[in-house]
Amino acid sequence: MPVNIRIEIARDRNMWNEAVQHHGTIFHTWEWLKCIERQTKTKLYPIEAYIGDELLCVLPIFVRKSLLTMVFSPPPKSLLLYLGVVFTKQYGNLRKFERAFEDFVAVLNDFISSEFGSCIVRIRSPPFVHDLRPFKWGGYLVTPHYTLSIDLGRELNEIWSSFDKKVRNNIRKTEREGCLVELGEWKELDRLRVMIAERFTAQGMKPTKGYYREYLLELFREFHENMKVFAAKLDGEVVGGFVGLTFRDRFLLWIGIPRVSLKGMYPNDLAIWEGIKWAKENGYRYFEIMDAGDDSRLSRYKSQFNPKPELWFSAIGLFGWLRFLSSPLKRFLR
Amino acid sequence: MRFHAEISHDANFWNEIVIASEHTHLFHRWEWLKTVENRLGFKFHPLVIYKGSTPVGIYPVFSKSKYFYKFAFSPPPYTGISYLGPALVDYADLKEDKRLSILKGLVESVDKFVFSELGASYFLTNVSPNLKDVRPYKWLNYDIDLIFHYILDISRGVENVWKGFKKEARENVKKAIKWGFKFEMGEPDDIKTIYEMLKGRYKEQGLKMKINLSYLREICDLFSDSIKIFLCRRDGEVVTGIVALCFKDRISFWIGGAKSDAKYANDLIHWEAIKWACENGFKYYEEFGAGTERLARFKSKFNPDLVVAFSVKKYRSFHVRILEGIYKLGRNYLNI
């Protein structure tokens, strides 16, 4: 029985941000988590796990209590794919990491059971956490997902020639047609937001009212330095593009690239290429085209840029009486 | 260009792909698969997948009918085969869009063969740890589970490998030597001793050993050049033994190493097997199965890296899923 790990709820924003700075993502920063809490109308529990006085790891969880209590990291409708546990140091030794992680999951399960009783838990870990055995051993159903990452450590020419021929031609054609990619501001981000919502409507889906306007505006103000809007414009009008995020050595293609029907023009392809060039010039090591690997059409589109699929994992756990529903419900929720 | 799966009867062609592909092990060899068919009563479907007229990979599928159902596997149960599944050729050199397109075409054509032509109700594949991308299975609604293995890089040399061991493992090895345990290479016939020890250990735990000895013997005879047996004796008596598979630059700890009264003997035998592998030019020491908590802890003493692999399965209908649940309940709790 693990007795040496204790869980605390973080109160100190600076200490939290310090903990996630080296091994976390931008989504783990205190400010982003607070934006999620407001957007998703959940309650944030920024969990810190200590061994003695040493901070082992952090895990932000969001709790929604209604008929059924749901515990998420990240919650739905936060425009995030993954969040999960961040360890404060890199373990050079697998068995030490295994032990620490396993003990943490056992303590976490106790914490969840005592705080929330019967509930559904979904924790989606970032791409650099691969040993999910402690979640499996702790009774979670763990399933793989794939995001896509381009190594910018190579020469730009090499990256360009690694693209599919078709996408290279698309980019050239779009440039010839006079499409330009600019670093935009809120106006461009807002236009992209509307285009994404329109695309959902065209696909027969019903986007939420206002489609994340307040949330994105708040994030844009808070993370102005890290948020890069790559807007593809034709005659001054936004016709495609995406919102990128910078953190540590990664550039994330976060949201955007709405499908565009302009004959002979591919503004999203051009915007991605300009984003890659910008990320490389600005010293980032990886350009991640964020993905879950669930949609065959999208994965095939993104694969034209020759990224490497990177694994990330989702863990679903059931607590209390919900355990009896185990397998079928977990598979449905994954 | 269209993909299609064809049954192959060409053992040489099959084995050439086994050598060329990065997704294979000794298990993929034609002779091993034919032994499974002949000895264990599974029907072998050696599928070669073509893109147009170009072969892009192989996929060994086995089937067995029971009651009103047909089950398909790659690998079948109780064969000692840790993983099988698709093996693609020239995969690593391709660009991502081509890789994805070929993998998708291959998986779709095999799925079509298994469920439409073979009429199977259930299909399970344990994919090679070298094939990390199982998105095409996701898109066909397969359930995906995680399997873990360990791999130890022994190309660093014996001394560095020894230094990387947990202190406890090093101490155990020293104690085993001090207590008079002696290591030696075994003969194919020694599989019987290792088998009996494993059987005894299973019995102690209230489990049945479901793998067949005569099948293991045949495999050991067939691959006598690639299968190595390591034994540990005290006062002339075998106290533990392991069977390892040699394939390309890897040596894989396959079966054996049953827990016994001879404390520390298993630490010694793994260390001796690793030393032998280093001296004989192997680069990796592979340990199948790191997903079981207790065994994972024993194996992680040698400081290996974790390897994630996937097991994928699909049911034709919901009631087959329920049947599998009942079968597992019987196997795990009622020991039938």
Side-chain angles (χ1 to χ4, degrees), chain B residues 176-294:
Chain B
I177 296 168
K178 204 170 152 190
W179 290 8
F181 291 111
K182 295 270 186 276
F183 160 80
E184 66 176 43
M185 297 294 287
E187 297 295 324
D189 254 6
D190 293 314
I191 183 75
K192 186 170 186 298
T193 317
I194 294 171
Y195 180 87
E196 290 303 333
M197 293 171 95
L198 269 178
K199 201 173 159 186
R201 176 68 187 139
Y202 268 62
K203 206 174 167 188
E204 274 172 30
Q205 297 175 90
L207 300 168
K208 267 185 203 162
M209 178 87 174
K210 293 194 175 168
I211 196 163
N212 185 312
L213 176 60
S214 58
Y215 156 75
L216 289 180
R217 277 190 142 151
E218 192 168 330
I219 291 291
C220 286
D221 288 339
L222 205 54
F223 294 98
S224 54
D225 288 345
S226 310
I227 293 185
K228 302 290 166 199
I229 295 182
F230 302 92
L231 297 175
C232 191
R233 290 181 191 268
R234 188 165 59 182
D235 304 328
E237 286 276 302
V238 175
V239 289
T240 189
I242 58 174
V243 184
L245 309 175
C246 304
F247 188 70
K248 297 180 185 169
D249 57 359
R250 256 178 302 173
I251 178 163
S252 309
F253 161 46
W254 183 37
I255 48 174
K259 197 176 175 186
S260 71
D261 297 335
K263 224 176 164 187
Y264 312 130
N266 278 324
D267 294 286
L268 175 67
I269 206 160
H270 277 284
W271 166 236
E272 291 292 350
I274 289 167
K275 267 201 318 194
W276 181 90
C278 281
E279 284 155 14
N280 286 276
F282 291 93
K283 288 184 180 162
Y284 300 100
Y285 187 74
E286 186 178 34
E287 296 178 276
F288 299 127
T292 313
E293 213 170 336
R294 188 184 55 76

Side-chain angles (χ1 to χ4, degrees), chain A residues 92-95 98-99 102 130-133 136-137 141-146 148 161-165 168 291-297 299-300 303-309 311 313 327-328 331 334, chain B residues 94-101 104 132-135 138-139 141-148 150 164-167 290-294 296-297 300-306 308 310 313 315 318 321:
Chain A
N93 182 312
L94 179 65
R95 59 179 187 271
E98 271 170 12
R99 202 26 164 316
E102 202 185 333
H130 277 184
D131 186 0
L132 270 288
R133 287 174 301 166
K136 273 196 89 175
W137 295 336
L141 174 80
V142 182
T143 50
H145 293 272
Y146 295 83
L148 302 161
S161 14
S162 74
F163 291 178
D164 185 59
K165 198 177 162 191
R168 292 199 305 252
D291 199 26
D294 292 335
D295 184 322
S296 149
R297 193 188 56 78
S299 293
R300 292 195 73 180
S303 75
Q304 297 179 104
F305 295 92
N306 198 31
K308 191 176 159 224
L311 278 163
F313 295 95
S327 191
R331 286 186 194 282
R334 76 195 156 169
Chain B
L94 295 172
K95 288 182 182 177
E96 172 55 21
D97 60 332
K98 299 282 180 309
R99 266 204 295 260
L100 188 58
S101 149
K104 186 170 176 280
K132 298 286 185 207
D133 190 357
V134 291
R135 283 176 293 173
K138 279 181 98 159
W139 300 333
N141 293 319
Y142 279 69
D143 284 352
I144 297 170
D145 202 1
L146 274 62
I147 298 178
F148 297 92
Y150 281 134
F165 278 18
K166 193 178 174 185
K167 195 177 168 196
T292 313
E293 213 170 336
R294 188 184 55 76
R297 198 150 290 148
S300 71
K301 281 194 291 194
F302 308 117
N303 198 25
D305 291 321
L306 188 75
V308 184
F310 300 101
K313 63 184 169 187
Y315 309 84
F318 188 68
R321 188 187 283 268

